[in-house]
Amino acid sequence: MAIGKPRNNKRSSSTSYASTISTVVFIALCVLGVWILTSNSIMPPQTTTRGTTTTTTTNTNTYSSSADTRVAKSNDRKDPPAFEDNPGELPDDAIKSDDPHGDEKSQEEQKSEFEIQKYSDGESSTGAANEADGNTDKQETEQENGGGDGKNGEENSQGKESGEEQEQQKESESQVSEESTLTLNQQGVHTNENENRGTTQQGSENEETKQTGDEERNVIQEVEESKSQEGESHENAQESQHQILDEDEQQRLQQQQKEEEKGDTQRGDQNEETQHENQQHQEIQEVTNKETQQNEGTEQSQTATEEQESTHATEETNTQAENQETQQESQQNESRSGQEATQGTTTTEEKATESNSVDSLPTGENSGIPKESKESKKSWSTQADQSENQKERRKDGSDGKDGSIYGYTWQLCNVTAGTDYIPCLDNEKALRKLRSTKHYEHRERHCPEEGPTCLVPVPEGYKRPIEWPKSREKIWYHNVPHPKLAEVKGHQNWVKVTGEFLTFPGGGTQFIHGALHYIDFIQQSVPDITWGKHTRVVLDVGCGVASFGGYLFDRDVLTMSFAPKDEHEAQVQFALERGIPAISAVMGSQRLPFPSRVFDLVHCARCRVPWHAEGGALLLELNRILRPGGYFAWSATPVYQKLEEDVEIWKAMSSLTASMCWELVTIKKDKLNSVGAALYRKPKSNNCYDQRKHNHPPMCKSDDDPNAAWYVPLQSCLHRVPADEAERGSEWPEDWPRRLKTPPYWLNSSQMGIYGKPAPDDFATDYEHWKRVINKSYLNGLGISWSNVRNVMDMRAVYGGFAAALKDLKVWVMNVVNVDSPDTLPIIYERGLFGIYHDWCESFSTYPRTYDLLHADHLFSRVKKRCKLAPLIAEIDRIVRPGGKLIVRDESGAVGEVENLLKSMRWEVHLTFSKDQEGILSAQKSGWRPDSYAASS
């Protein structure tokens, strides 16, 4: 190569000094041998500090390049505008994410990720560490030795005893440094070169390669091959390297030694000549760099030997392989992030402050509440145990695919229901197999064998829902674009279309002039009802658009509203969009998913339910869930109209209620609305049952559990009222709001609570725990703007402590008790809250986009033992509104899996935190939807 030409010219001018050269060469070789045996190839110490600094820069540049690749990928995604809230102040020990897809990591994770990516070619951990610490070190040393020999020579000559021997030693050190650098670079630098091609680091790699020269590379390559084949030690490899130097190389060394022998008198000339040579090297390097960029993967010189050509071919092959591995590594970086979160061992997590970990972690010694006690399970029955017809559950605990966030190709649900898809109510395949619809079986739950993993599309023109309480009066038309109900019920003041809004005048069929007047009318009829004190939890049957429940909030009453998904399209969806609690359900052939004796009052305003039919089976179901001493408010035409059909229904209803021992307290007529209401009261004792002349309807058998409610057929029988004073239902709860904080009287201290303490103490501890977590962490530390939150679901409630701690916010909470968990739902109702039984291996009975926030405390680690996580995450995506939130508290492994699944659906992960194998995650749903539809089922 051209690099060798100046040196060859020097050798041609040195023939007159043959005898002197021979002597010098002999001395040089002796000194070199002694130095090799004693120095053990130690790098010159003067470049260590600079090399360390350069290594840090290199690592940063490499990660930036990888990050740029991920940013480029994310830019290719078709992401719609994000629904951002004010992020708020996150905990100091939390891992915050500024990336819209939650891909950024802490500095420690970045460094770890860089090291893994750089040395993923199979080198040993020791070799990888040495290369990372010393690779740039050697580059600095080579540049200084190759480009600054004159300066180093002056410094060495001033501090050494004899100029001749020390100059020889310096040259030997320079030679060994160059050879060692090249050897290490050839072993492990391929990945670095591919990641940083075209950067400043590539320039430094080209410079060191060109400065070495073709002849040196040839010799060093032979040494390297000799090392790999024979397994010689580093010291022997260096000795062999010098032994195989060819004659030209020895002459070059001799020539340099001769020129250095002239001493200080010729030092100035030598410096000028060295500088001139450096300039030539730099010019050659610039030209070569350009050629390398334009002809990547080709041979670098036509004069190289066959062995050099083979070496280049091998390097090209390795480069291509490393490129593929680098791409795979960059794609797996996000997966590694989830795995690192799963392990919970990052430096950031270990240095978390004690004060914040108390509020952020769900369990542990400092959390204020222990983990669930295994012994306590013996004291509590589950809904699955209580329900005789509990269907077989899936046992596959995997989360689908390969667990990678790139292992899922989400598609839109290709179903007739479109944007209003409810999997368990719109299962057309199951509905076609029904033998009868006499008892509204087609409106009941018929869930697919495995939950769908498609995503429900969003209506065109969807907007962020209007905040409460304005949402009670109006909602965006395009969020629930169903005008049919307005056309059919518009004259009854249910709902009207007003420009781009759907408006709700606050009326209904029975209260055209406003719900508040109607609510006050009922209390005036029976003053003992005392809304918001004696009567706190209400069930509204056939709720319409739920205006009754919506305005009961003004009286401090919580109402569970439900209606079937029928020809009155989207009535429950209207209710939820307005910010009013509601579920899609029907009184058909099965029990409602509620415990017995929990509702203070049941209301039916012209709900069209045939209460008197088939032995009063449906009214007997209301009797099961109505609290002893509770009221049934029936506002329907048979109460106040005298049409023949109405008269017949009234007679049948009167006979039925009397045989059930219900007391007809009063019949009142509302003159303003021209309607009437009959109010019945359930007995508080069994005296009436024992005195009946006819056993019709019959009393239920002793083995019929009134609390069994999950896929349990209706029973046309009466359950006895609890007679024991310590039994639930024998007494009325304390007035609201004292009942919220007071442990139920029937919680026995001898019974172990869920967390291992006596049940009343467990109740109090749970409440204090959630108050502390809500106030110190959730309200300010999770980036949630609570003014945008109205509809909340606690996906795994225990005592209802989470909902109780949110009492002072303008939100309502649907408490879900899992059918395989201890049956604590009666406790939740006893304290003035409400909830429902559910199995998260199935879809929930609500419309899409109906909740602002979902809270899951140790849910996923339990669910994945029974069914797959992917359908559950798809169900969460279906339920949550665009811009809505999810808070997860669970084992670190489960949190990591959930995080990966959420990211695959383009959710924005705002916070992840893990410590002591426990983690917390806060995420927000974006507006992203896939472009393609799933295959039609």
Side-chain angles (χ1 to χ4, degrees):
M1 293 178 63
I3 293 178
K5 288 182 179 180
R7 296 175 180 173
N8 291 337
N9 291 337
K10 292 177 186 178
R11 287 196 297 267
S12 64
S13 62
S14 62
T15 56
S16 60
Y17 300 98
S19 59
T20 305
I21 288 175
S22 300
T23 304
V24 172
V25 168
F26 177 79
I27 296 174
L29 291 177
C30 292
V31 172
L32 181 61
V34 172
W35 182 86
I36 289 174
L37 293 175
T38 57
S39 64
N40 198 22
S41 302
I42 297 176
M43 294 299 299
Q46 63 268 24
T47 61
T48 300
T49 303
R50 297 177 61 184
T52 304
T53 304
T54 309
T55 301
T56 303
T57 304
T58 304
N59 289 350
T60 305
N61 291 339
T62 304
Y63 182 79
S64 299
S65 176
S66 178
D68 291 341
T69 303
R70 291 200 302 273
V71 171
K73 283 187 177 182
S74 64
N75 291 337
D76 293 339
R77 297 169 177 165
K78 190 176 180 180
D79 289 345
F83 293 81
E84 285 291 347
D85 285 335
N86 181 9
E89 296 182 0
L90 301 180
D92 294 335
D93 53 1
I95 304 172
K96 304 178 184 178
S97 175
D98 297 326
D99 190 286
H101 301 290
D103 288 338
E104 292 296 335
K105 303 173 180 65
S106 65
Q107 293 181 355
E108 291 294 329
E109 290 176 320
Q110 293 175 4
K111 181 176 180 181
S112 175
E113 205 172 71
F114 165 76
E115 297 293 345
I116 294 172
Q117 183 174 356
K118 182 175 179 181
Y119 302 117
S120 61
D121 57 351
E123 292 182 347
S124 66
S125 58
T126 303
N130 290 339
E131 180 181 348
D133 293 336
N135 199 19
T136 311
D137 227 16
K138 301 180 193 313
Q139 294 175 8
E140 287 286 336
T141 303
E142 183 180 34
Q143 292 173 2
E144 291 181 6
N145 289 338
D149 287 343
K151 181 178 178 180
N152 290 342
E154 289 180 1
E155 294 174 354
N156 291 337
S157 63
Q158 294 175 3
K160 306 293 181 178
E161 292 179 342
S162 64
E164 183 175 25
E165 292 183 355
Q166 296 305 323
E167 287 297 326
Q168 293 173 2
Q169 181 174 354
K170 184 191 75 66
E171 176 63 22
S172 301
E173 292 175 352
S174 175
Q175 179 69 19
V176 172
S177 174
E178 292 174 354
E179 293 165 357
S180 300
T181 301
L182 285 173
T183 300
L184 288 174
N185 287 341
Q186 290 174 356
Q187 287 178 343
V189 82
H190 297 304
T191 302
N192 246 358
E193 291 176 350
N194 287 326
E195 291 176 347
N196 304 289
R197 192 176 302 278
T199 63
T200 56
Q201 186 172 351
Q202 175 64 31
S204 66
E205 295 289 346
N206 291 337
E207 181 178 356
E208 72 171 16
T209 302
K210 297 306 178 182
Q211 288 175 347
T212 303
D214 288 351
E215 294 176 353
E216 295 176 2
R217 290 189 60 190
N218 184 20
V219 172
I220 295 169
Q221 183 62 34
E222 292 176 357
V223 174
E224 179 60 24
E225 292 177 355
S226 176
K227 281 179 58 180
S228 61
Q229 293 173 1
E230 299 177 5
E232 294 178 352
S233 65
H234 187 64
E235 179 178 348
N236 292 335
Q238 289 182 336
E239 183 175 357
S240 299
Q241 178 180 339
H242 288 283
Q243 291 176 356
I244 64 173
L245 291 175
D246 58 18
E247 183 178 353
D248 288 341
E249 187 65 16
Q250 293 179 7
Q251 291 181 2
R252 181 186 67 78
L253 181 61
Q254 293 171 3
Q255 178 63 24
Q256 290 181 352
Q257 293 293 350
K258 175 182 174 300
E259 291 176 357
E260 293 168 358
E261 187 179 303
K262 295 180 180 179
D264 295 339
T265 58
Q266 299 180 0
R267 186 66 60 192
D269 294 338
Q270 184 179 7
N271 288 341
E272 293 178 358
E273 186 177 8
T274 302
Q275 292 174 1
H276 178 69
E277 181 177 309
N278 289 339
Q279 291 177 358
Q280 289 180 339
H281 287 182
Q282 293 175 0
E283 293 174 359
I284 293 171
Q285 176 190 343
E286 293 175 357
V287 174
T288 306
N289 285 342
K290 293 179 180 179
E291 293 176 354
T292 302
Q293 294 174 1
Q294 296 174 358
N295 303 292
E296 219 173 279
T298 61
E299 298 182 48
Q300 296 182 359
S301 174
Q302 296 180 353
T303 60
T305 62
E306 292 181 359
E307 185 174 353
Q308 287 174 309
E309 291 176 355
S310 175
T311 301
H312 281 297
T314 302
E315 291 175 354
E316 290 173 7
T317 302
N318 291 338
T319 298
Q320 294 174 359
E322 291 294 331
N323 278 334
Q324 295 176 357
E325 292 178 3
T326 302
Q327 292 175 359
Q328 294 175 359
E329 286 292 322
S330 64
Q331 290 176 353
Q332 294 173 359
N333 281 341
E334 294 176 2
S335 177
R336 288 199 193 97
S337 175
Q339 294 173 358
E340 290 172 0
T342 298
Q343 295 174 356
T345 56
T346 62
T347 304
T348 303
E349 296 162 352
E350 293 175 353
K351 294 182 179 180
T353 59
E354 188 66 22
S355 61
N356 205 51
S357 65
V358 170
D359 303 315
S360 297
L361 293 179
T363 57
E365 295 181 357
N366 298 322
S367 66
I369 186 168
K371 292 186 178 180
E372 289 190 14
S373 170
K374 295 181 179 179
E375 291 77 9
S376 69
K377 295 181 179 180
K378 301 177 182 179
S379 303
W380 295 83
S381 61
T382 66
Q383 183 58 213
D385 295 335
Q386 294 164 162
S387 301
E388 297 177 356
N389 295 332
Q390 176 69 25
K391 71 179 185 179
E392 190 70 21
R393 298 300 174 206
R394 298 165 293 279
K395 302 300 181 181
D396 187 0
S398 65
D399 65 346
K401 306 287 183 176
D402 57 0
S404 169
I405 62 175
Y406 295 102
Y408 298 92
T409 304
W410 298 103
Q411 294 180 309
L412 294 173
C413 296
N414 189 6
V415 291
T416 305
T419 59
D420 298 332
Y421 179 46
I422 304 176
C424 291
L425 300 182
D426 295 317
N427 187 356
E428 296 179 354
K429 183 178 179 181
L431 295 178
R432 287 193 294 266
K433 296 180 180 179
L434 292 177
R435 298 180 179 179
S436 172
T437 60
K438 180 180 179 181
H439 297 99
Y440 290 86
E441 291 90 346
H442 59 299
R443 303 300 182 192
E444 294 178 331
R445 291 172 59 84
H446 301 281
C447 299
E449 287 300 322
E450 186 166 312
T453 55
C454 58
L455 304 184
V456 178
V458 177
E460 186 177 353
Y462 183 89
K463 297 181 180 180
R464 181 196 297 276
I466 298 172
E467 294 181 7
W468 179 269
K470 292 181 179 179
S471 62
R472 186 169 55 183
E473 282 76 39
K474 64 180 181 179
I475 61 175
W476 296 109
Y477 171 80
H478 289 291
N479 286 13
V480 192
H482 298 298
K484 183 177 179 180
L485 195 61
E487 296 171 1
V488 175
K489 297 290 185 179
H491 66 287
Q492 297 178 355
N493 275 359
W494 278 32
V495 56
K496 294 182 178 180
V497 178
T498 307
E500 60 179 349
F501 298 102
L502 289 165
T503 58
F504 303 87
T509 305
Q510 299 300 96
F511 38 92
I512 299 176
H513 297 286
L516 282 175
H517 169 78
Y518 176 78
I519 290 168
D520 292 338
F521 157 72
I522 291 177
Q523 180 168 306
Q524 290 169 5
S525 301
V526 182
D528 288 345
I529 288 178
T530 321
W531 296 122
K533 292 184 178 180
H534 183 77
T535 302
R536 164 64 181 174
V537 186
V538 172
L539 178 69
D540 188 16
V541 181
C543 62
V545 294
S547 291
F548 178 73
Y551 284 92
L552 273 175
F553 277 108
D554 293 350
R555 300 292 185 263
D556 222 3
V557 174
L558 199 58
T559 307
M560 174 76 75
S561 302
F562 78 93
K565 185 176 182 180
D566 59 5
E567 64 274 7
H568 287 171
E569 71 177 347
Q571 51 187 330
V572 168
Q573 192 175 17
F574 281 135
L576 289 162
E577 184 70 17
R578 297 173 69 188
I580 302 171
I583 60 170
S584 288
V586 65
M587 297 194 72
S589 65
Q590 297 177 347
R591 289 179 176 177
L592 294 171
F594 309 119
S596 67
R597 308 185 297 271
V598 291
F599 288 101
D600 303 336
L601 182 145
V602 178
H603 172 258
C604 171
R606 206 171 185 174
C607 53
R608 300 194 308 166
V609 177
W611 300 116
H612 62 287
E614 298 190 4
L618 301 184
L619 196 62
L620 289 168
E621 173 62 6
L622 291 189
N623 184 77
R624 181 185 71 88
I625 61 179
L626 184 61
R627 190 182 301 278
Y631 292 91
F632 174 60
W634 186 38
S635 172
T637 56
V639 177
Y640 57 90
Q641 291 186 358
K642 300 304 179 180
L643 298 176
E644 182 178 356
E645 182 183 5
D646 291 330
V647 171
E648 292 180 358
I649 293 175
W650 173 253
K651 289 181 179 179
M653 189 70 169
S654 298
S655 175
L656 176 61
T657 53
S659 65
M660 293 170 55
C661 294
W662 280 17
E663 176 190 0
L664 178 58
V665 179
T666 186
I667 298 176
K668 290 288 184 178
K669 187 172 182 179
D670 179 13
K671 296 181 179 180
L672 178 64
N673 290 307
S674 299
V675 299
L679 288 99
Y680 299 88
R681 190 181 189 187
K682 180 179 176 178
K684 299 172 63 175
S685 69
N686 294 308
N687 293 336
C688 178
Y689 298 146
D690 296 335
Q691 296 173 5
R692 289 190 308 166
K693 294 181 180 180
H694 303 285
N695 190 28
H696 182 79
M699 301 304 294
C700 296
K701 296 180 180 180
S702 59
D703 61 353
D704 190 294
D705 185 357
N707 293 307
W710 189 244
Y711 291 114
V712 176
L714 290 177
Q715 299 292 326
S716 297
C717 62
L718 284 167
H719 291 94
R720 298 182 66 85
V721 173
D724 188 347
E725 294 181 355
E727 189 175 355
R728 179 175 67 85
S730 62
E731 296 182 13
W732 196 268
E734 294 195 37
D735 286 349
W736 178 265
R738 288 196 304 271
R739 65 193 283 185
L740 179 72
K741 306 176 182 179
T742 307
Y745 65 90
W746 43 268
L747 272 186
N748 196 329
S749 297
S750 62
Q751 180 182 14
M752 182 183 294
I754 304 300
Y755 302 109
K757 296 181 178 180
D761 297 338
D762 231 26
F763 176 96
T765 302
D766 177 81
Y767 182 43
E768 294 300 323
H769 164 73
W770 285 113
K771 283 198 303 181
R772 181 173 61 255
V773 170
I774 295 293
N775 293 329
K776 293 187 177 182
S777 179
Y778 282 16
L779 293 183
N780 300 311
L782 298 183
I784 296 174
S785 177
W786 287 89
S787 62
N788 296 328
V789 176
R790 171 63 182 172
N791 303 352
V792 180
M793 178 187 290
D794 191 358
M795 299 179 69
R796 184 181 167 272
V798 180
Y799 297 116
F802 170 77
L806 294 174
K807 169 185 172 294
D808 295 331
L809 298 182
K810 294 180 179 180
V811 302
W812 61 268
V813 181
M814 178 68 75
N815 293 281
V816 179
V817 172
N818 293 233
V819 296
D820 63 333
S821 298
D823 187 6
T824 55
L825 191 53
I827 299 176
I828 292 173
Y829 277 92
E830 195 78 4
R831 66 191 307 183
L833 306 172
F834 64 16
I836 192 171
Y837 292 120
H838 186 60
D839 182 356
W840 283 115
C841 290
E842 300 177 0
S843 295
F844 194 79
S845 293
T846 188
Y847 281 85
R849 306 171 302 279
T850 49
Y851 282 86
D852 300 303
L853 185 146
L854 265 59
H855 179 259
D857 180 31
H858 285 77
L859 169 70
F860 300 102
S861 57
R862 289 168 168 79
V863 169
K864 73 176 187 176
K865 297 176 182 178
R866 303 169 51 241
C867 51
K868 298 180 181 179
L869 280 189
L872 176 53
I873 299 301
E875 174 67 4
I876 290 173
D877 182 86
R878 187 186 72 86
I879 293 175
V880 175
R881 290 168 171 170
K885 314 297 190 307
L886 171 66
I887 302 174
V888 178
R889 304 165 66 88
D890 215 316
E891 298 172 1
S892 297
V895 171
E897 294 180 50
V898 172
E899 180 182 5
N900 288 344
L901 283 162
L902 292 175
K903 286 181 178 178
S904 72
M905 296 187 297
R906 312 301 192 268
W907 280 53
E908 300 161 13
V909 178
H910 288 166
L911 176 142
T912 55
F913 177 83
S914 182
K915 184 179 181 182
D916 298 333
Q917 303 303 316
E918 297 287 344
I920 184 171
L921 176 147
S922 174
Q924 182 178 18
K925 179 180 176 180
S926 70
W928 176 82
R929 294 289 90 177
D931 294 328
S932 61
Y933 281 87
S936 179
S937 58

